[in-house]
Amino acid sequence: MEEARSARRVRRQAWRPWALLGGVVALSGAGGVLAVNSLSALEARNAQLEQEANESEARVAELQALRVSMERRLRVLEQQQQGAGSLPVDPRKAREQNAQMMRRETARLNLTAALKDELTRGDAWLDTLGTEALRLELSERLLFEPGQSGLTPRGTEVLGRAGSVLAAVEEHAVEVAAHTDERPQSSEGEAGETSWELSTARAAAVVRALHEGPGKLAPERLSATGHASFRPVVPSDSPVNRLRNRRVTLMLRPLPEAPAVPSPALAPVPAPQAGKKTAQR
């Protein structure tokens, strides 16, 4: 009997290390799962913090750009007021001009974000013309094949992004002007096409894309002009400069005020004439 109990004790002692080892393995597995979950949570949190930091940096950059732009607008307004001297200023007109400048400034910031890649690569240029207009220039290679007037799929997509921003600017028109160089490359079936014809056709194609694109710009807000090679921005003395001159300009300006329609003048009523007295005999 004693020998049986001793045998069972020995067997229990023999299994004890294995039981302990199993417990250690189980704890290690659970710890590994917890560690993996913790690591995944830390990575997700880190990614979230990086995204928030990038968004904060973008917002700070946007606010700085807005501050610089408003300072520039303020200097221009001060110069205008100094030049005006003692001329009376219409408060209503001044408020309207300030509101228009704010709309164009908002459009400039939105275009900068919408065309970030194109602006960085040097395929687009964006600037302001004093307090009167906002100018966006797009390179030929961004919109057209050499010598052709039909928009490329990429050009249609870029104009869709730009048109959505421009369409949101109330009380403003978009003037489209296309420019070529002095040596247009005629496409097949268009032999003899001049720079005038090519630039005019391109301007019309851009206007059509802005009207039919996501922005749905109203026709009365659009105009198209072809300038051929006669308004270069740099001398056309090298392939690089000629490429720079082949461009399309979108000018955002306030809509012209509608002329006041004079009220029809009332025709003067003739005075009654005194009747002639006839003597009757």
Side-chain angles (χ1 to χ4, degrees):
M1 190 69 178
E2 185 65 27
E3 293 177 358
R5 284 198 296 269
S6 299
R8 287 196 296 271
R9 189 180 303 111
V10 170
R11 285 195 297 269
R12 285 197 299 269
Q13 291 176 355
W15 279 101
R16 187 176 298 170
W18 294 103
L20 292 175
L21 179 60
V24 170
V25 170
L27 291 175
S28 300
V33 172
L34 293 175
V36 170
N37 292 336
S38 300
L39 182 59
S40 300
L42 289 175
E43 291 178 350
R45 180 57 178 167
N46 186 36
Q48 182 182 0
L49 291 175
E50 289 181 356
Q51 182 179 358
E52 292 176 355
N54 293 333
E55 292 176 354
S56 299
E57 291 177 358
R59 181 59 179 166
V60 169
E62 180 180 344
L63 292 175
Q64 289 177 348
L66 180 60
R67 178 180 60 81
V68 172
S69 179
M70 295 308 299
E71 290 176 352
R72 183 170 63 249
R73 297 291 187 277
L74 181 60
R75 289 194 297 268
V76 172
L77 288 175
E78 290 175 350
Q79 293 173 0
Q80 288 181 344
Q81 290 178 357
Q82 293 174 359
S86 58
L87 295 177
V89 179
D90 185 357
R92 183 190 64 81
K93 190 172 183 179
R95 288 194 300 269
E96 183 178 351
Q97 290 178 348
N98 290 335
Q100 291 176 347
M101 283 193 297
M102 288 300 299
R103 294 191 190 104
R104 290 193 296 273
E105 183 59 29
T106 302
R108 188 185 69 82
L109 294 174
N110 292 337
L111 285 172
T112 301
L115 303 175
K116 180 180 179 180
D117 295 338
E118 289 76 14
L119 292 167
T120 302
R121 289 195 300 264
D123 289 334
W125 303 268
L126 186 62
D127 61 357
T128 54
L129 301 180
T131 60
E132 301 298 327
L134 175 65
R135 177 172 59 192
L136 171 64
E137 288 189 351
L138 303 174
S139 174
E140 174 200 55
R141 63 187 177 189
L142 198 60
L143 304 176
F144 304 98
E145 294 292 341
Q148 296 186 7
S149 58
L151 286 167
T152 62
R154 182 188 179 197
T156 302
E157 189 270 332
V158 169
L159 288 175
R161 280 185 275 143
S164 297
V165 175
L166 297 174
V169 187
E170 299 178 353
E171 300 179 1
H172 279 71
V174 179
E175 302 171 1
V176 178
H179 305 263
T180 62
D181 60 15
E182 68 281 3
R183 295 186 294 181
Q185 301 177 10
S186 299
S187 58
E188 296 181 2
E190 298 178 353
E193 186 178 51
T194 66
S195 294
W196 286 111
E197 293 166 336
L198 180 61
S199 61
T200 303
R202 286 181 170 182
V206 172
V207 164
R208 186 180 303 109
L210 293 175
H211 172 57
E212 298 175 354
K216 302 293 183 183
L217 273 157
E220 58 269 18
R221 296 179 59 186
L222 294 166
S223 62
T225 309
H227 292 295
S229 60
F230 299 101
R231 296 192 182 183
V233 290
V234 292
S236 294
D237 53 5
S238 68
V240 174
N241 285 355
R242 284 193 291 272
L243 177 62
R244 176 66 179 91
N245 288 328
R246 297 195 298 269
R247 68 200 189 279
V248 173
T249 302
L250 282 70
M251 196 79 70
L252 184 67
R253 296 183 187 274
L255 283 168
E257 295 182 0
V261 180
S263 57
L266 297 176
V269 179
Q273 296 180 355
K276 295 181 180 181
K277 295 181 179 179
T278 59
Q280 296 180 357
R281 295 183 179 181

